[in-house]
Amino acid sequence: MAPSHAVRCCQRGLSWIPVIFINLVVCWSYYAYVVELCIYTIANTEEQVIYLIVFHVFFFMFIWSYWKTIISKPASPSKEFCLPKADKELYEKEENPEAQQEILKRVARNLPVYTRTGSGAIRYCDHCQLIKPDRCHHCSTCDRCVLKMDHHCPWVNNCVGFSNYKFFVLFLAYSMLYCVYIAATVLQYFIKFWTLCRRRAIEHCPENHLPDTHAKFHVLFLFFVATMFFISILSLFSYHLWLVGKNRTTIEAFRAPVFRNGPDKNGFTVGFRKNVTQVFGDQKKCWCLPLYSSLGDGYTFPTRLVNVDSEQGNVEHRAIKCTVDGQTNPRPLSESQNHLLGNNMHSEEQKDSSPVNIGTSTLSIHTPHICPRTL
């Protein structure tokens, strides 16, 4: 018992190494840019002031979004997704997988759960001992189930999911802007220092040239580091922008979610504008700020398909009713989620009125609204 606890403590300590590394690089970049470049290298006062003001804006937004991603606790399923005590005892005593599935199906009838495993079974987490909500997955590193889990990021030592996905995307955006701004403003001095280093061996330093101090090493290295990080972050940021536009997580991009009629990688897609709104919120003034504004509750999500299932007919009826009176059972929709399902959607969603193939079934959609959880 004690050795395993010691191992977990060591693992938790080691998991902070990437975060410490990033923070050390950022602290050095701050010193190199502010002190070595702006104070020791740039002689023009106006240029110094302009560079420093813009730099601190990007630096502040980058640090803010980065630490919001780190400290935001991953959202986990509530207790209502755990098996009742009597059903849990029956589930643990039962050895037949089919009988276990019958127990899970009976409990899941009262829950907003509509996705399945690849074999069509109820998604159940043996570690957390709960029925997984839609788009929820178990993180082995965090040792918990995370709502709308995207991935576990070692650079923030945290799971990226429903509670902090907006912060993560903003962190990538501002880190990219931070790097490209440094590289762009340092470029002219990088060229001058580089030229000075190459000509130093064959001729004397010309008059009015940059001073030959240790600042040149910081400036040269700062340009290389900023460029390297910008290139690596650009590809990752572009990929996550694509995921936001498609309303997918990284897990769903590699493994399509499975509904009652089979897998569908576009099952949660409700139009580009509404997909972006789910992550960033419906108030555009908050999009660029690392403040929580995502829509929904992390348990129920609008889907683009409508299919009445006789197995859960009562649940479907309540889900369809929620577009009228704004609630569904057993969990009421939040005000922001009701807005997401408002009457102003049919301009985009009518594009999905053509037949859609899922597995072996063909569905024709002729509804003016997108109903949550009607699969």
Side-chain angles (χ1 to χ4, degrees), residues 34-300:
V34 173
V35 178
E36 298 294 347
L37 177 68
C38 293
I39 296 178
Y40 290 160
T41 304
I42 300 177
N44 189 297
T45 304
E46 293 182 356
E47 186 178 0
Q48 285 181 339
V49 172
I50 295 174
Y51 278 18
L52 287 174
I53 291 176
V54 179
F55 171 81
H56 280 90
V57 171
F58 287 131
F59 177 80
F60 174 76
M61 297 304 295
F62 162 62
I63 294 297
W64 187 9
S65 58
Y66 180 54
W67 278 98
K68 284 287 287 187
T69 309
I70 294 176
I71 65 177
S72 296
K73 185 178 180 180
S76 298
S78 60
K79 294 182 179 179
E80 66 181 291
F81 287 87
C82 297
L83 293 180
K85 185 177 180 180
D87 292 316
K88 182 179 177 182
E89 292 177 354
L90 290 175
Y91 181 86
E92 292 176 347
K93 291 179 181 179
E94 188 62 57
E95 297 181 357
N96 187 354
E98 295 181 357
Q100 290 180 332
Q101 275 298 305
E102 291 300 323
I103 298 173
L104 296 179
K105 286 181 179 180
R106 185 174 66 253
V107 177
R109 286 195 182 99
N110 299 320
L111 297 174
V113 177
Y114 296 91
T115 55
R116 297 290 184 263
T117 64
S119 60
I122 298 293
R123 299 171 64 245
Y124 182 76
C125 179
D126 292 317
H127 292 86
C128 301
Q129 296 184 336
L130 53 80
I131 295 176
K132 295 180 183 179
D134 295 346
R135 314 184 82 176
C136 174
H137 296 275
H138 183 85
C139 177
S140 58
T141 305
C142 296
D143 195 25
R144 66 172 68 185
C145 284
V146 179
L147 296 180
K148 197 186 175 183
M149 178 179 173
D150 188 89
H151 70 288
H152 184 91
C153 180
W155 300 108
V156 299
N157 191 29
N158 199 2
C159 252
V160 178
F162 178 77
S163 61
N164 60 356
Y165 187 63
K166 175 189 173 183
F167 305 149
F168 178 75
V169 175
L170 289 179
F171 153 61
L172 295 178
Y174 285 120
S175 59
M176 187 180 64
L177 292 175
Y178 179 73
C179 292
V180 73
Y181 176 78
I182 289 178
T185 53
V186 169
L187 179 59
Q188 59 173 319
Y189 299 98
F190 168 82
I191 295 175
K192 292 178 181 179
F193 276 127
W194 185 264
T195 304
L196 176 63
C197 292
R198 294 187 62 183
R199 296 177 59 188
R200 184 174 175 80
I202 57 177
E203 62 181 54
H204 296 288
C205 181
E207 296 183 0
N208 299 325
H209 214 301
L210 292 174
D212 187 15
T213 63
H214 62 282
K216 68 181 180 181
F217 297 106
H218 287 281
V219 172
L220 292 174
F221 195 57
L222 184 63
F223 178 81
F224 280 121
V225 172
T227 304
M228 178 185 66
F229 273 92
F230 168 73
I231 294 174
S232 60
I233 295 173
L234 177 61
S235 59
L236 184 60
F237 177 65
S238 302
Y239 175 68
H240 278 279
L241 283 184
W242 179 80
L243 290 178
V244 171
K246 295 290 185 178
N247 200 352
R248 300 176 193 168
T249 63
T250 300
I251 296 176
E252 292 168 351
F254 287 94
R255 185 173 66 249
V258 180
F259 298 92
R260 298 186 188 279
N261 296 282
D264 181 16
K265 62 181 180 180
N266 295 318
F268 295 106
T269 298
V270 291
F272 177 80
R273 184 170 62 87
K274 293 300 178 182
N275 293 341
V276 174
T277 303
Q278 282 195 39
V279 176
F280 291 95
D282 49 13
Q283 296 184 2
K284 294 184 179 181
K285 62 182 180 181
C286 297
W287 283 11
C288 296
L289 299 176
L291 300 173
Y292 184 81
S293 60
S294 300
L295 302 184
D297 55 10
Y299 297 91
T300 57

Side-chain angles (χ1 to χ4, degrees), residues 9-24:
C9 291
C10 292
Q11 290 176 342
R12 291 175 182 175
L14 293 175
S15 64
W16 284 100
I17 291 179
V19 177
I20 295 174
F21 171 75
I22 291 296
N23 280 273
L24 290 176

Side-chain angles (χ1 to χ4, degrees), residues 316-332:
E316 261 84 24
H317 177 72
R318 290 195 295 268
I320 295 174
K321 185 180 178 181
C322 75
T323 62
V324 179
D325 57 16
Q327 62 182 6
T328 184
N329 294 321
R331 176 175 298 276

